Amino acid sequence: MALALPAVLLFTACDDEDYMKFDLSQSGIYFTKDTLNYSFGVTPVEIKKYTYRIPVQVMGGTSGEKRAVGYVVDPDSTLATQGVHYEIGEAVIMPDSITGYIPVTVFRDKLEGTHTTGYTAGSE
């Protein structure tokens, strides 16, 4: 009996059950970080712009093709003006990958402040 019980458990523990998989008909993107920080205040004054790569990740399966990522900047949540204080490049997920980034270039010359006090987007 002591030998039969482990043998029964061994044979009944394995089955061909289908486990949950990604729903390949649905795809989405999410941010892998909820807070991003960059400051020109700790950057040499010769550096006039910086490109921050905001990481994103796919919810769902991969694709064999390059995929564009759509995004919207909420104007009520920032004082910065696109094209003046920053530029956003093409956001993509490369083929056979689930990770990508949104490139955001910030420009020092259009910010108000100093190296000592820090920089903010001023009113234009």
Side-chain angles (χ1 to χ4, degrees):
M1 183 68 164
L3 293 175
L5 184 58
V8 169
L9 289 175
L10 187 65
F11 289 114
T12 59
C14 299
D15 59 25
D16 291 331
E17 182 178 332
D18 284 335
Y19 293 99
M20 183 186 291
K21 298 177 182 165
F22 289 120
D23 182 356
L24 297 178
S25 67
Q26 298 291 322
S27 187
I29 296 291
Y30 66 94
F31 292 102
T32 59
K33 294 182 178 183
D34 62 359
T35 304
L36 304 170
N37 293 305
Y38 179 77
S39 173
F40 278 115
V42 295
T43 306
V45 293
E46 301 81 39
I47 296 178
K48 301 297 184 189
K49 64 182 180 177
Y50 177 79
T51 300
Y52 200 106
R53 294 168 44 136
I54 300 172
V56 294
Q57 196 156 355
V58 172
M59 292 184 292
T62 61
S63 171
E65 299 178 12
K66 180 177 165 181
R67 295 186 279 179
V69 174
Y71 57 84
V72 176
V73 176
D74 181 3
D76 295 333
S77 67
T78 183
L79 296 174
T81 303
Q82 187 169 350
V84 176
H85 302 110
Y86 69 95
E87 287 288 341
I88 300 181
E90 180 184 15
V92 297
I93 305 293
M94 297 308 286
D96 302 319
S97 180
I98 60 167
T99 59
Y101 64 90
I102 302 171
V104 178
T105 302
V106 290
F107 303 109
R108 172 180 256 166
D109 290 342
K110 298 295 182 171
L111 300 176
E112 292 179 354
T114 66
H115 178 75
T116 305
T117 62
Y119 295 90
T120 60
S123 56
E124 287 278 321

